[in-house]
Amino acid sequence: MIERIDDLQINNLKIIQNPNLFCFGLDAVLLANYIKGKGNSKAEVLDIGTGNGIIPILLTAKIKFRHIDAVEIQKKISDMARRSIQLNNLESSIEIINNDIRLHRDYLNASKYDIVVSNPPYAKVGCGEINTKKELAISRHEISCTIQDIVEAAFYTLKSNGSLYIIHRADRLADIIYEMRRTGIEPKNIKMIYPGVKKPANLVLLRGIKNGKAELKHEPPLIIYDENGKYTEDIEMIYM
Amino acid sequence: MIERIDDLQINNLKIIQNPNLFCFGLDAVLLANYIKGKGNSKAEVLDIGTGNGIIPILLTAKIKFRHIDAVEIQKKISDMARRSIQLNNLESSIEIINNDIRLHRDYLNASKYDIVVSNPPYAKVGCGEINTKKELAISRHEISCTIQDIVEAAFYTLKSNGSLYIIHRADRLADIIYEMRRTGIEPKNIKMIYPGVKKPANLVLLRGIKNGKAELKHEPPLIIYDENGKYTEDIEMIYM
């Protein structure tokens, strides 16, 4: 096991990582940064597919919250997440739940959460190479959890007017928008992410609101690299 | 009537405009420019809501086509379009049809077209100020034609694997994607249009394919103005 502890460079937060099991990426950081709290009131938060707990841990430095529940299907990774929570003394704020999100009705409450967040496995099963390491494969592919699974679990667990935040591959945008509206979570905010100003979008940040009115508000594009291959100011501000 | 004739700066094409009835905008030019032909084979094209005929006229300079049918519901505007077609000697190539797209089954053939294109009225009825001049109101608002009307007419008239090209306000993106997939036109290509690199997207170009496979391909963002308020190179190339 080649575990390491990384410093998150904010509020002294740390995280346990393991390249053979799970390491967080820029996408998790972008998603955590995209989430708005509820102003002065404390949010109940659910993270679907938390991996090593990166999003809940970052959120503690970002929004006011009452409690964060974080579901991870893989036993070894959820153990790693739980140890990261302990390392940061966040046991009273964040609960790691080792379970399958498809079975959400068995262990999560209906209409409980103000915010549901998910940085889900990206590739459709059958697209791209499935990683031979089972843990990495489940984290990257829709083996245990499809877009439909996430949107349905979010609809069930969100309060009316609660927000689902999701980051996904840009080429799945139609799938996400279609599933959200079909299920009753209206796509309300969108931010496209481009590797460069002359490159196609490769990621998308979306916020949907349960039972929301139709109107999709766009945000300025997020450009990752400038013409010299360096992070843009926008990324520096989020990531550094 | 304050009609004028404008030079389109390409292939000696001209167009009749009338600020009290209909003038084309940057959006029509961006849409015409976005359309891909069928390589060496000649496309059958349908334009829904052609206004003064700007898109068919521009397309004659851009793609190989067999024939372009262009539907416009408003009598006065369709007359203006017809006179523009005559002015350019394009009567054998472009037919202006003064009819209601909601009645498409009465006068258009099923599965005839390779390409359907639409730069439709933008605002939902009830959004924004309805123009008191009836002609301008119908051209700008969804009085005679909703997104659903366009997508349904496109599905009926397109060949299988034919393309629907549409430009619309970015805040209607969820409506368009949802209607397309629901109807059987899969969103395949998307290009977001931003007034500036730090501004939210305000328009979107979309191509859907009748009975296409799910996978939305993104393109680089189109930025209209640079930091100095001048058209970017991308726009200069299209527009000038």
Side-chain angles (χ1 to χ4, degrees):
Chain A
M1 195 133 93
I2 11 170
E3 258 189 25
R4 63 172 199 253
I5 295 176
D6 287 340
D7 189 327
L8 289 170
Q9 315 273 355
I10 183 168
N11 290 18
N12 278 317
L13 293 168
K14 303 195 178 345
I15 192 152
I16 302 168
Q17 309 238 66
N18 182 336
N20 283 336
L21 287 177
F22 190 97
C23 286
F24 75 87
L26 175 60
D27 42 3
V29 180
L30 297 179
L31 179 57
N33 189 68
Y34 189 62
I35 293 166
K36 311 257 175 307
K38 293 184 63 200
N40 275 327
S41 55
K42 292 179 177 174
E44 289 282 355
V45 181
L46 172 67
D47 181 21
I48 298 177
T50 198
N52 63 353
I54 177 66
I55 287 174
I57 291 171
L58 285 175
L59 279 184
T60 62
K62 159 97 178 122
I63 63 164
K64 291 196 179 185
F65 63 94
R66 188 179 309 279
H67 194 81
I68 306 177
D69 289 326
V71 177
E72 172 54 46
I73 193 169
Q74 300 196 70
K75 178 75 175 72
K76 277 190 208 166
I77 296 176
S78 68
D79 287 345
M80 193 164 75
R82 209 170 279 125
R83 287 184 288 117
S84 274
I85 304 307
Q86 287 160 1
L87 187 67
N88 291 294
N89 298 312
L90 290 166
E91 299 97 318
S92 61
S93 308
I94 303 173
E95 185 182 355
I96 303 294
I97 301 167
N98 176 218
N99 212 327
D100 184 336
I101 196 60
R102 291 169 294 191
L103 310 175
H104 56 272
R105 285 166 190 252
D106 295 347
Y107 59 94
L108 294 174
N109 290 327
S111 307
K112 174 179 176 183
Y113 298 94
D114 303 289
I115 293 168
V116 172
V117 47
S118 188
N119 174 15
Y122 279 155
K124 257 188 186 165
V125 176
C127 302
E129 210 180 324
I130 299 244
N131 201 296
T132 46
K133 287 210 171 62
K134 191 175 128 252
E135 287 85 359
L136 287 174
I138 291 179
S139 300
R140 288 186 191 160
H141 291 266
E142 291 183 353
I143 292 171
S144 309
C145 167
T146 64
I147 288 171
Q148 194 180 335
D149 294 332
I150 292 163
V151 173
E152 282 174 7
F155 185 82
Y156 179 80
T157 54
L158 276 174
K159 291 176 186 162
S160 193
N161 289 313
S163 295
L164 167 61
Y165 291 92
I166 196 165
I167 189 165
H168 217 292
R169 275 173 33 183
D171 61 5
R172 304 300 302 278
L173 179 61
D175 300 315
I176 302 170
I177 285 179
Y178 184 80
E179 282 304 329
M180 277 191 179
R181 179 170 285 186
R182 198 184 59 80
T183 306
I185 296 181
E186 183 61 29
K188 292 293 276 186
N189 297 81
I190 186 168
K191 191 174 186 73
M192 303 300 309
I193 301 172
Y194 301 85
V197 74
K198 307 248 180 211
K199 300 238 170 100
N202 61 350
L203 290 170
V204 58
L205 284 160
L206 259 178
R207 176 197 187 195
I209 294 187
K210 180 173 172 177
N211 305 325
K213 235 183 71 200
E215 194 196 358
L216 185 58
K217 226 176 135 183
H218 289 254
E219 299 185 31
L222 182 60
I223 317 286
I224 308 282
Y225 296 104
D226 66 17
E227 302 86 62
N228 307 315
K230 285 173 57 181
Y231 279 142
T232 57
E233 266 178 42
D234 284 347
I235 294 293
E236 295 266 4
M237 268 169 53
I238 294 170
Y239 206 39
M240 296 301 155
Chain B
M1 197 132 89
I2 11 171
E3 258 189 26
R4 64 171 198 255
I5 295 176
D6 288 340
D7 190 326
L8 289 170
Q9 315 273 355
I10 182 168
N11 290 17
N12 278 318
L13 293 168
K14 302 193 180 346
I15 192 149
I16 302 171
Q17 310 238 64
N18 183 334
N20 284 335
L21 286 177
F22 188 98
C23 286
F24 74 86
L26 175 59
D27 42 2
V29 180
L30 296 180
L31 179 58
N33 189 69
Y34 190 61
I35 292 165
K36 313 257 175 308
K38 292 183 64 200
N40 276 327
S41 55
K42 292 179 177 175
E44 289 281 357
V45 181
L46 171 66
D47 182 21
I48 298 177
T50 198
N52 64 354
I54 177 66
I55 287 172
I57 292 171
L58 285 175
L59 279 185
T60 62
K62 159 96 179 124
I63 62 164
K64 291 196 179 183
F65 63 94
R66 186 179 312 278
H67 194 80
I68 306 177
D69 290 327
V71 177
E72 172 55 46
I73 193 170
Q74 299 196 71
K75 179 76 175 73
K76 278 190 207 166
I77 296 176
S78 69
D79 288 345
M80 193 163 77
R82 209 171 278 123
R83 286 184 288 116
S84 274
I85 304 305
Q86 287 160 0
L87 188 67
N88 291 294
N89 298 313
L90 290 167
E91 299 96 318
S92 62
S93 307
I94 303 174
E95 184 182 356
I96 303 293
I97 302 167
N98 175 219
N99 213 326
D100 185 336
I101 196 61
R102 290 168 295 191
L103 310 174
H104 57 271
R105 285 168 191 251
D106 295 347
Y107 59 94
L108 294 175
N109 291 327
S111 309
K112 174 179 177 184
Y113 300 94
D114 302 289
I115 293 169
V116 172
V117 49
S118 188
N119 174 15
Y122 278 156
K124 255 188 185 167
V125 175
C127 301
E129 210 180 325
I130 299 245
N131 202 296
T132 46
K133 288 210 169 62
K134 190 174 128 254
E135 288 85 0
L136 287 175
I138 290 178
S139 298
R140 288 185 191 162
H141 290 266
E142 290 183 355
I143 292 170
S144 309
C145 167
T146 64
I147 288 172
Q148 194 180 334
D149 294 332
I150 291 163
V151 172
E152 281 173 8
F155 185 82
Y156 180 80
T157 53
L158 277 174
K159 293 177 186 161
S160 193
N161 289 313
S163 296
L164 167 61
Y165 290 91
I166 197 164
I167 188 167
H168 216 293
R169 275 174 30 184
D171 60 5
R172 304 300 302 278
L173 179 61
D175 300 316
I176 303 169
I177 285 179
Y178 184 79
E179 282 305 329
M180 277 191 178
R181 178 169 287 186
R182 197 183 60 80
T183 308
I185 296 181
E186 182 61 29
K188 292 293 278 185
N189 297 81
I190 186 168
K191 191 174 186 73
M192 303 301 308
I193 302 172
Y194 301 86
V197 74
K198 307 248 179 211
K199 299 239 170 100
N202 60 349
L203 291 169
V204 57
L205 285 160
L206 258 178
R207 176 197 187 194
I209 294 187
K210 181 174 172 176
N211 306 325
K213 233 182 73 200
E215 194 197 359
L216 186 58
K217 228 179 134 180
H218 289 254
E219 299 186 31
L222 183 59
I223 316 285
I224 308 282
Y225 296 105
D226 65 18
E227 302 87 61
N228 306 315
K230 286 173 56 183
Y231 279 141
T232 57
E233 265 178 43
D234 284 347
I235 293 293
E236 294 268 4
M237 270 170 51
I238 294 169
Y239 207 38
M240 295 300 154

